[in-house]
Amino acid sequence: MFFQIHFVSNLSTIAVGFLSVMIRWISVLKKYVESTHQKKAIFSKQERLPCIAPLVTTVEETPQIVSACVRGHFPQWLRGYLLRVGPGKFEFGKDKYNHWFDGMALLHQFRMEKGTVTYRSKFLQSDTYKANSVHDRIVISEFGTLAVPDPCKNVFERFLSKFEVPGKFLAITDNTNVNYVKYKGDYYLSTETNFMNKVDIKTLEKTEKVDWRKFIAVNGATAHPHYDADGTVYNMGNSYGSHGSCYNVIRVPPEKVDLGETIHGAQVICSIASAEGMRPSYYHSFGMTRNYIIFIEQPLKMNLWKVVTSKIRGKSFADGISWEPQYNTRFHVVDKHTGQLLPGMYYSKPFVTFHQINAFEDQGCVVIDLCCQDDGRSLEVYQLQNLRKVGEGLDQVYNSVGRSFPRRFVLPLHVSLNDPEGQNLSPLSYSSASAVKQADGKIWCSYENLHPEGLEDEGGIEFPQINYGQFSGRKYRFFYGCGFRHLVGDSLIKVDVVNKTLTIWREDGFYPSEPVFVPAPGTSEEDGGVILSVVITPKQNENNFLLVLDAKNFEELGRAEVPVQMPYGFHGTFVTI
């Protein structure tokens, strides 16, 4: 009887307690649902994205120097060129390019001296640009656009043109529209093919075309090399052959032996075999510390068979690239002095990175910071037809793109057989990134987020830049980038990776480009200097302008307005004069 009464009593107590908990949970759930609905409503309003089609539309070049109207002020000490490049022409005759990356290179130059600013722009006179212009159609294929056969040929001739010898049907573009790079004191325009174009930065005229293959056995190189203090340059490029494919670390000496040299003396100091010979990873940049090169083999794969047969199949090169998250991401570390590939096998969950932020060494580890996406399908999203959409169609495109966030990975360099399995081998107390040895000897790397939650509201961050001259390869605190609440950057952000705080500059209806840090003379402070960014707008009644911010407090110092239409571009650099 006691048991029954006690059981019933307990049951009653449990029931009352259960009902009480349920009531509380229903109340919480109700508030959550209301909150979620409210957030969704706000989010949907924010997702009525404005049309940016004018930012990815053909413009005219401005070869004659234009004086800018300066509002506010540009520091008197700021004397030099801001050089930028990006796509600026998207059709020839009736032929139109499909992908944003395909547009013909347009060179931009802002010259600053004694508080005044001038602007000019010119199309790069590449062989591709000239051939397309002469024929008034697209003659050379680009990343996302296959050059069609000559319409003047008959049907049989056009069919046979799909089966031309490989050296001919794989004609490589020299439309170097990605970045300015520096070798031996000279500036070149680069993309990711085997060609670079040397340019006179004063006149923006092409002076020479350089082919990497004439100096070393690579099929191309990145547009994001790294520089030692003495001018030695490191880069990476792929090579393809019967052995499969390799990722090659390239070193270019700092000085010329003869006046007419370009990249003479370039060497491949290390070759890393691809995990899959005919399916190497696509990469856009790599990391470098004082002593090491860090290459990231990510599951964004290039199917070489598809690339080689693209013309026969009637597909562009982009068709051969695919995101394959069934594979993990791997880090390779190379001693840049000896060319030795370190034995450590570092892996992480699949992600894709296009731009590294910085890398440095600390307590026997390499620390590398990257802008990372968990979805590697963004390349296919940047079709021009997508960027030019309006209304809900544009919102859908934006929502399909993976966001990019800054993450830190720690790679312990001296891992031994005696190190315990299942334990974090990172000794860095200031980072939550871990490196855990597995039973098979691999090191599993988990990242640390370098940002507060507020960065999600800014659409993530890309185009990262640091005080490169003083802090590349060193422990640092700040980096700068573009926030992406649209398909192109719509804000400038300063990130404090130590305190994990954000400082933001934004002006509605305007779209800033990659921020470039310029150090103030005589200062050793990491953020002692200014940020330069070209800010453009699709509004017909507003001018585009060059913006200068105080890098320390991110407040606007001035802007130099020019009444010239400009497309949204990629990368650039500042050159002191």
Side-chain angles (χ1 to χ4, degrees):
M1 185 71 174
F2 170 77
F3 172 77
Q4 288 177 327
I5 293 173
H6 185 68
F7 176 76
V8 171
S9 175
N10 280 350
L11 187 62
S12 176
T13 302
I14 292 170
V16 171
F18 177 74
L19 287 173
S20 177
V21 170
M22 285 298 295
I23 290 170
R24 285 200 300 272
W25 270 104
I26 290 170
S27 176
V28 170
L29 185 61
K30 183 172 180 290
K31 290 180 181 177
Y32 171 76
V33 170
E34 290 173 351
S35 172
T36 302
H37 283 168
Q38 188 177 7
K39 286 181 181 177
K40 281 186 176 179
I42 294 172
F43 183 75
S44 65
K45 289 179 182 177
Q46 291 176 340
E47 286 294 291
R48 298 297 298 176
L49 294 173
C51 175
I52 58 168
L55 308 187
V56 286
T57 301
T58 294
V59 301
E60 297 293 327
E61 63 181 3
T62 308
Q64 302 302 317
I65 294 174
V66 175
S67 294
C69 177
V70 175
R71 303 184 186 280
H73 77 279
F74 277 62
Q76 290 290 315
W77 57 263
L78 189 60
R79 185 171 181 268
Y81 298 114
L82 176 67
L83 304 170
R84 285 186 48 76
V85 66
K89 183 175 177 60
F90 299 96
E91 64 278 315
F92 284 91
K94 296 180 180 180
D95 290 357
K96 301 180 187 301
Y97 287 115
N98 299 323
H99 201 281
W100 184 29
F101 298 173
D102 299 342
M104 293 293 99
L106 180 62
L107 288 58
H108 306 267
Q109 178 206 78
F110 286 88
R111 189 179 192 273
M112 289 146 274
E113 186 173 15
K114 296 180 180 179
T116 66
V117 182
T118 61
Y119 170 79
R120 65 162 36 163
S121 67
K122 290 183 180 181
F123 281 108
L124 174 67
Q125 297 299 304
S126 63
D127 291 343
T128 297
Y129 180 91
K130 290 187 286 188
N132 290 343
S133 298
V134 167
H135 292 88
D136 197 29
R137 65 183 184 88
I138 296 172
V139 177
I140 306 296
S141 296
E142 298 289 340
F143 174 76
T145 304
L146 179 69
V148 297
D150 187 345
C152 294
K153 292 181 178 181
N154 61 41
V155 174
F156 183 66
E157 288 175 323
R158 276 181 279 171
F159 174 75
L160 287 182
S161 71
K162 292 179 179 289
F163 299 91
E164 291 165 350
V165 293
K168 191 174 180 181
F169 82 72
L170 280 180
I172 303 299
T173 180
D174 65 341
N175 175 38
T176 49
N177 65 3
V178 176
N179 201 7
Y180 279 88
V181 297
K182 186 179 181 182
Y183 294 100
K184 301 183 183 182
D186 294 324
Y187 285 89
Y188 298 80
L189 286 162
S190 177
T191 179
E192 294 172 344
T193 69
N194 51 293
F195 293 119
M196 295 190 296
N197 286 295
K198 184 178 175 181
V199 292
D200 183 327
I201 62 172
K202 294 180 182 179
T203 64
L204 300 185
E205 294 292 340
K206 169 190 166 184
T207 61
E208 188 173 356
K209 178 177 172 178
V210 176
D211 185 346
W212 279 101
R213 296 175 300 183
K214 292 183 178 179
F215 300 91
I216 51 176
V218 296
N219 293 88
T222 81
H224 291 286
H226 280 290
Y227 306 91
D228 272 346
D230 69 350
T232 301
V233 186
Y234 292 85
N235 207 338
M236 291 202 63
N238 284 2
S239 58
Y240 313 114
S242 57
H243 58 279
S245 54
C246 285
Y247 314 110
N248 303 289
V249 180
I250 304 164
R251 181 165 60 211
V252 180
E255 297 177 349
K256 297 178 182 178
V257 176
D258 295 316
L259 189 61
E261 281 188 4
T262 56
I263 52 173
H264 295 73
Q267 294 177 298
V268 171
I269 63 169
C270 180
S271 292
I272 305 167
S274 168
E276 294 184 90
M278 289 298 290
R279 288 159 41 83
S281 292
Y282 170 82
Y283 59 96
H284 187 70
S285 66
F286 61 98
M288 187 176 86
T289 69
R290 181 179 178 184
N291 296 297
Y292 300 101
I293 299 293
I294 305 97
F295 170 67
I296 297 155
E297 191 171 15
Q298 55 195 12
L300 188 59
K301 300 283 190 175
M302 294 189 296
N303 186 317
L304 297 184
W305 178 249
K306 282 189 173 183
V307 171
V308 170
T309 61
S310 59
K311 186 170 184 180
I312 297 173
R313 298 183 300 108
K315 301 288 185 179
S316 69
F317 300 138
D319 180 66
I321 298 178
S322 60
W323 169 239
E324 302 187 17
Q326 67 270 29
Y327 298 99
N328 290 321
T329 295
R330 181 175 182 180
F331 300 82
H332 299 273
V333 181
V334 176
D335 185 316
K336 72 182 196 184
H337 305 297
T338 66
Q340 179 184 2
L341 177 64
L342 273 59
M345 297 181 290
Y346 309 97
Y347 289 86
S348 78
K349 72 174 191 177
F351 70 85
V352 65
T353 180
F354 296 106
H355 300 109
Q356 64 94 36
I357 303 167
N358 199 8
F360 58 91
E361 299 162 39
D362 194 12
Q363 300 179 50
C365 298
V366 161
V367 180
I368 183 165
D369 298 344
L370 309 161
C371 286
C372 301
Q373 300 176 23
D374 291 323
D375 187 337
R377 294 173 293 179
S378 58
L379 288 179
E380 60 195 61
V381 173
Y382 279 86
Q383 299 281 338
L384 287 168
Q385 64 178 5
N386 290 334
L387 293 173
R388 293 169 178 166
K389 286 185 176 181
V390 297
E392 292 184 5
L394 181 60
D395 296 344
Q396 291 172 2
V397 172
Y398 175 77
N399 290 329
S400 71
V401 179
R403 306 292 185 267
S404 179
F405 294 98
R407 295 171 180 172
R408 170 166 291 174
F409 292 88
V410 175
L411 315 177
L413 297 174
H414 309 295
V415 180
S416 72
L417 294 173
N418 297 325
D419 285 324
E421 297 174 8
Q423 291 187 23
N424 182 15
L425 300 182
S426 169
L428 306 182
S429 59
Y430 58 81
S431 177
S432 61
S434 63
V436 178
K437 184 179 178 183
Q438 308 293 300
D440 57 5
K442 295 177 182 177
I443 309 299
W444 185 257
C445 300
S446 298
Y447 61 83
E448 171 194 5
N449 283 318
L450 293 179
H451 62 90
E453 291 183 1
L455 188 57
E456 296 175 357
D457 297 330
E458 301 303 319
I461 192 168
E462 254 297 347
F463 295 142
Q465 290 286 312
I466 62 170
N467 181 344
Y468 191 94
Q470 297 178 15
F471 286 86
S472 175
R474 292 178 53 192
K475 199 171 182 180
Y476 74 112
R477 180 176 173 182
F478 304 113
F479 82 91
Y480 313 88
C482 289
F484 274 75
R485 297 195 309 178
H486 209 306
L487 288 168
V488 296
D490 78 324
S491 67
L492 294 171
I493 303 175
K494 177 182 181 180
V495 181
D496 183 330
V497 301
V498 175
N499 296 317
K500 296 185 179 177
T501 58
L502 308 175
T503 309
I504 301 168
W505 180 92
R506 171 183 287 109
E507 191 165 318
D508 288 343
F510 288 82
Y511 301 88
S513 66
E514 171 189 67
V516 175
F517 178 87
V518 183
T523 182
S524 59
E525 291 184 290
E526 184 179 347
D527 58 353
V530 297
I531 292 294
L532 296 175
S533 175
V534 179
V535 183
I536 62 176
T537 179
K539 299 178 181 179
Q540 297 298 314
N541 60 338
E542 299 280 2
N543 285 329
N544 300 319
F545 58 89
L546 174 62
L547 174 71
V548 58
L549 301 176
D550 185 322
K552 192 173 289 293
N553 57 28
F554 236 48
E555 292 183 0
E556 180 174 337
L557 297 177
R559 59 179 65 183
E561 298 180 346
V562 288
V564 175
Q565 188 180 358
M566 301 178 200
Y568 199 85
F570 297 140
H571 300 290
T573 190
F574 181 83
V575 181
T576 300
I577 56 176

